[in-house]
């Protein structure tokens, strides 16, 4: 048996919540990209009692004594240090000199001046993505409220599907614009930031995972809407057909009992046809003509 309407609505709402949580997690973190920078080691300051790998050490501890000849033992690649960094939409953080903590600065400062429009487009699209995703989820919650009739639920469902689909579109644009902005910063950004190696990180994966879940929610909502419309139209055509048959029987002055028996037989034939086609009917109500204007099953 296929997924019932309530189950489809719950599935769409769950996917929307997951997409919203992943989107917020991705936007508020700065691990969209991470890598390393190759920098020259700074000189070791003060008295050096043990060998420090993150700075260049002189052969004499008294670096202020100009009478001494001081030698640097590090040569070749030993003079360089690989610092880790990670960047997101808002910040870019790089390891400190002692490789213990991180120093962060705005990613807007790193992006080239003539290319900051791409990053602003990414920020606006991300905000619209989260806002529309939240709106679609709110409409899905309101739709599940039992105080609305079928027509109002269908209207809310249509708006929820529209908001969710549009949010997925904005999310895709935002993720692609960040990729473009970061690659431009790598090529034309400041010299003291350009990385030696870099790759996408877990925040970037969360962002695209949110996009995929969002589109899954949109497809589920659209499926829920179209299937409800199809079932409603089929039920309406069946009721109209029964009303026309009843009208013809009344015009021919046939007994009411004969009409009732014929109505039950036609409904049984329709349910048998549904079973033959592989669809299990949701209900069997012989008095459906008395409450045809209510929501079915």
């Amino acid at each position: 048996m296929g997924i019932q309407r309530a189950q489809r609505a719950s599935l769409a709402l769950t996917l929307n919540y997951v997409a919203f949580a992943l989107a917020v997690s991705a936007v508020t973190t700065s691990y969209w990209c991470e890598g390393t920078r190759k920098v020259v080691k700074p000189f070791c300051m003060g008295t050096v009692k043990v060998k420090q790998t993150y700075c260049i050490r002189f052969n004499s501890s008294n670096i202020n004594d100009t009478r001494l000849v001081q030698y640097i033992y590090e040569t070749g690649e030993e003079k360089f240090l690989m610092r880790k960094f990670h960047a997101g939409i808002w910040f870019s953080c790089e390891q400190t000199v002692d490789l213990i903590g991180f120093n962060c600065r705005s990613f807007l400062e790193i992006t080239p001046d003539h290319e900051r429009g791409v990053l602003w487009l990414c920020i606006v699209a991300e905000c619209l993505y989260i806002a529309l995703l939240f709106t679609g989820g709110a409409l899905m919650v309101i739709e599940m409220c039992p105080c609305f009739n079928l027509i109002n639920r269908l209207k809310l469902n249509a708006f929820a599907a529209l908001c969710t689909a549009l949010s997925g579109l904005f999310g895709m644009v935002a993720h692609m614009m960040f990729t473009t902005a970061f690659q431009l910063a790598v090529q034309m950004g400041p010299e003291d930031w350009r990385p030696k190696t870099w790759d996408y990180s877990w925040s970037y994966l969360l962002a695209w995972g949110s996009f995929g879940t969002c589109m899954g929610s949109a497809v589920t909502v659209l499926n829920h809407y179209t299937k409800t419309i199809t079932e409603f139209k089929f039920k309406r055509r069946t009721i109209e057909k029964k009303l026309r048959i009843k009208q013809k029987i009344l015009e021919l002055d046939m007994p009411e009992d004969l009409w009732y028996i014929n109505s039950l037989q036609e409904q049984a034939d329709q349910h048998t046809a549904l079973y033959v086609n592989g669809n299990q009917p949701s209900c069997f109500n012989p008095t459906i003509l008395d409450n045809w204007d209510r929501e079915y099953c």
Side-chain angles (χ1 to χ4, degrees):
M1 182 177 63
I3 301 177
Q4 298 298 323
R5 286 182 296 160
Q7 293 175 328
R8 292 196 299 269
S10 299
L11 177 60
L13 183 60
T14 302
L15 291 175
N16 184 278
Y17 281 161
V18 172
F20 181 78
L22 292 177
V24 173
S25 301
V27 172
T28 54
T29 53
S30 59
Y31 283 86
W32 287 61
C33 299
E34 61 180 351
T36 56
R37 288 190 62 243
K38 185 177 181 180
V39 296
V40 179
K41 292 181 181 180
F43 293 117
C44 296
M45 305 300 293
T47 303
V48 179
K49 297 182 179 180
V50 295
K51 182 175 176 59
Q52 296 174 335
T53 59
Y54 57 84
C55 61
I56 297 177
R57 182 174 60 91
F58 292 96
N59 66 328
S60 174
S61 59
N62 189 5
I63 62 174
N64 295 322
D65 192 353
T66 58
R67 297 173 298 174
L68 298 177
V69 178
Q70 299 173 349
Y71 296 96
I72 299 174
Y73 295 112
E74 286 81 357
T75 59
E77 290 296 326
E78 294 179 354
K79 294 192 302 182
F80 296 96
L81 182 68
M82 301 301 293
R83 289 187 188 176
K84 295 182 180 180
F85 82 97
H86 55 85
I89 296 177
W90 308 105
F91 298 102
S92 175
C93 301
E94 184 182 353
Q95 280 184 320
T96 56
V97 176
D98 54 3
L99 304 181
I100 295 178
F102 283 87
N103 291 326
C104 299
R105 52 179 168 171
S106 175
F107 192 69
L108 280 172
E109 300 177 0
I110 300 171
T111 308
D113 296 338
H114 59 283
E115 299 294 344
R116 288 183 180 177
V118 178
L119 185 59
W120 277 114
L121 178 62
C122 169
I123 294 174
V124 172
E126 283 288 352
C127 294
L128 289 175
Y129 171 54
I130 294 177
L132 288 173
L133 198 60
F134 177 80
T135 304
L139 291 175
M140 293 180 198
V141 173
I142 297 175
E143 180 213 350
M144 299 177 69
C145 181
C147 59
F148 294 99
N149 56 27
L150 179 62
I151 301 300
N152 291 332
R153 288 183 182 180
L154 286 175
K155 292 179 180 179
L156 291 172
N157 192 265
F159 282 113
L162 179 62
C163 290
T164 308
L166 283 177
S167 67
L169 177 61
F170 282 113
M172 180 182 65
V173 171
H175 305 341
M176 295 177 64
M177 288 299 100
F178 175 79
T179 304
T180 303
F182 186 83
Q183 291 178 353
L184 289 173
V186 170
Q187 297 175 3
M188 297 180 290
E191 292 290 342
D192 62 342
W193 179 85
R194 293 183 188 179
K196 179 179 178 60
T197 61
W198 67 275
D199 200 355
Y200 298 108
S201 189
W202 56 269
S203 294
Y204 191 75
L205 297 179
L206 285 181
W208 281 108
S210 173
F211 167 75
T213 311
C214 171
M215 296 311 297
S217 176
V219 170
T220 306
V221 174
L222 288 173
N223 177 266
H224 173 56
Y225 175 79
T226 54
K227 193 166 185 178
T228 303
I229 287 292
T230 302
E231 292 176 356
F232 181 75
K233 289 183 178 180
F234 175 78
K235 205 70 175 179
R236 183 176 181 179
R237 286 196 299 267
T238 303
I239 294 173
E240 291 176 351
K241 181 179 179 181
K242 290 181 179 295
L243 290 175
R244 288 196 298 268
I245 293 175
K246 181 179 180 181
Q247 183 66 27
K248 291 181 180 180
I249 291 176
L250 292 177
E251 291 176 357
L252 296 175
D253 295 331
M254 296 180 64
E256 184 72 18
D257 294 338
L258 179 60
W259 171 85
Y260 183 74
I261 294 174
N262 291 334
S263 176
L264 290 179
Q265 183 63 35
E266 290 180 1
Q267 190 172 3
D269 294 339
Q270 291 177 359
H271 280 69
T272 302
L274 289 175
Y275 274 111
V276 171
N277 293 331
N279 298 320
Q280 183 175 353
S282 57
C283 61
F284 180 74
N285 187 6
T287 61
I288 193 171
L289 289 174
D290 296 332
N291 57 355
W292 66 275
D293 57 340
R294 300 177 184 175
E295 181 180 358
Y296 51 92
C297 303

